[in-house]
Amino acid sequence: MKVLVAVKRVVDYNVKIRVKADGSGVDTTNVKFTMNPFDESAVEEAVRLKEAGKASEIVVVSMGPQQAQDTIRTGLAMGADRGILVASDAELQPLAVAKLLKALVDKEQPSLVLVGKQAIDDDSNQTGQMVAALLGWPQGTFASKLVIDGGKADVTREIDGGLETVSLSLPAVVTVDLRLNEPRYASLPNIMKAKKKPIETVSPSDLGIDVAPRLVTLKVEEPARRQAGVKVASVAELVGKLKTEAKVI
Ligand code: AMP
């Protein structure tokens, strides 16, 4: 079984985000980029499937600028076999990424596509669902457990009332939650080995996909600053403040 994993290069989750002065987006100068954390769990799961003898090949794909190669290398160092970079300096919105992924799936014919449940930069939570729809494949979203057996994927997912398990026929798309696993750190020997693994570079036009944005960002702004809290000495004081100051009761 071939597994295709989508890995996005995003601003590292530890970075304190700065909004550009003109409100047109996030300032990314001199900012550390890493693999989207949900995608690390997706790669980890693929590697575990390979170690368990259930996956034969893992292909990691990333769409974005040339530097997204580093994200692919991280996936290769974790245990993926080869990478594909769809090189583009354009802003790639989820629909464009989903179309690119579909084109790669048509070419690569994997049995399983793993993507993160969301990218921590745009928080869209759309790509996996869109690619499943474009392919006409079953989808299991927000997987916190994945069991592959005999042409089926059982996906356990968190829902409001608890856990739900859906059974999908392969080929299928699964979007991955952080609870699925604890991603491994790549060891130094594996980082060295990853340098020799192949990465193919293609462009959106090679795949016949128009990636022009369909959405326009009007404005990006910092969240309002929270005011400092106060400590109250008693329940009576709390109730008083809720009544007279916050006016919520
Ligand atoms: P989103 O729908 O943008 O929240 O992203 C969900 C998932 O789609 C991510 O966790 C990635 O697995 C995948 N994805 C989104 N954008 C890209 C990209 N530019 N390159 C590779 N994978 C991506």
Side-chain angles (χ1 to χ4, degrees), residues 45-107:
E45 198 64 17
V47 174
R48 290 187 191 187
L49 286 171
K50 192 166 177 202
E51 287 168 347
K54 300 207 166 168
S56 50
E57 189 184 24
I58 304 168
V59 184
V60 279
V61 305
S62 193
M63 290 91 180
Q66 279 298 330
Q67 297 94 311
Q69 277 218 13
D70 299 344
T71 313
I72 293 176
R73 290 269 172 231
T74 304
L76 298 177
M78 287 173 74
D81 298 290
R82 63 189 169 90
I84 304 175
L85 169 69
V86 184
S88 170
D89 288 324
E91 181 203 344
L92 296 174
Q93 296 179 346
L95 181 59
V97 175
K99 287 180 183 172
L100 293 169
L101 275 174
K102 177 185 184 296
L104 290 174
V105 167
D106 290 344
K107 204 167 139 217

Side-chain angles (χ1 to χ4, degrees), residues 6-8 36 39 62-63 97 115-116 118-119 122 124-127:
V7 294
K8 186 174 188 185
N36 184 42
D39 306 352
S62 193
M63 290 91 180
V97 175
V115 305
Q118 74 192 67
D122 60 18
S124 295
N125 176 2
Q126 293 177 343
T127 307

Side-chain angles (χ1 to χ4, degrees), residues 148-161:
I148 305 280
D149 202 13
K152 275 186 359 181
D154 287 349
V155 176
T156 302
R157 47 198 308 275
E158 276 177 31
I159 55 168
D160 278 352

Side-chain angles (χ1 to χ4, degrees), residues 18-226:
R18 291 184 314 261
V19 172
K20 285 188 195 159
D22 63 1
S24 63
V26 167
D27 187 357
T28 53
T29 35
N30 299 324
V31 158
K32 183 179 173 205
F33 282 82
T34 43
M35 185 187 291
N36 184 42
F38 293 91
D39 306 352
E40 285 182 355
S41 291
V43 176
E44 174 65 34
E45 198 64 17
V47 174
R48 290 187 191 187
L49 286 171
K50 192 166 177 202
E51 287 168 347
K54 300 207 166 168
S56 50
E57 189 184 24
I58 304 168
V59 184
V60 279
V61 305
S62 193
M63 290 91 180
Q66 279 298 330
Q67 297 94 311
Q69 277 218 13
D70 299 344
T71 313
I72 293 176
R73 290 269 172 231
T74 304
L76 298 177
M78 287 173 74
D81 298 290
R82 63 189 169 90
I84 304 175
L85 169 69
V86 184
S88 170
D89 288 324
E91 181 203 344
L92 296 174
Q93 296 179 346
L95 181 59
V97 175
K99 287 180 183 172
L100 293 169
L101 275 174
K102 177 185 184 296
L104 290 174
V105 167
D106 290 344
K107 204 167 139 217
E108 293 285 338
Q109 301 283 313
S111 304
L112 180 65
V113 174
L114 294 177
V115 305
K117 98 168 175 186
Q118 74 192 67
I120 61 165
D121 51 2
D122 60 18
D123 274 345
S124 295
N125 176 2
Q126 293 177 343
T127 307
Q129 294 88 330
M130 283 177 171
V131 75
L134 291 172
L135 288 163
W137 285 9
Q139 59 178 292
T141 52
F142 318 151
S144 56
K145 186 172 171 210
L146 175 63
V147 179
I148 305 280
D149 202 13
K152 275 186 359 181
D154 287 349
V155 176
T156 302
R157 47 198 308 275
E158 276 177 31
I159 55 168
D160 278 352
L163 294 175
E164 175 188 55
T165 302
V166 291
S167 188
L168 319 172
S169 316
L170 296 176
V173 177
V174 173
T175 83
V176 166
D177 205 345
L178 292 181
R179 276 185 234 284
L180 184 60
N181 56 44
E182 179 84 29
R184 70 195 63 194
Y185 287 105
S187 64
L188 192 58
N190 286 344
I191 293 173
M192 300 312 284
K193 266 193 234 156
K195 293 192 177 170
K196 298 215 179 89
K197 293 183 180 176
I199 299 181
E200 180 191 354
T201 302
V202 294
S203 71
S205 53
D206 292 339
L207 299 170
I209 303 298
D210 167 18
V211 295
R214 302 295 200 268
L215 305 171
V216 180
T217 302
L218 299 179
K219 196 171 169 204
V220 176
E221 48 188 313
E222 304 247 1
R225 280 200 189 284
R226 284 183 62 183

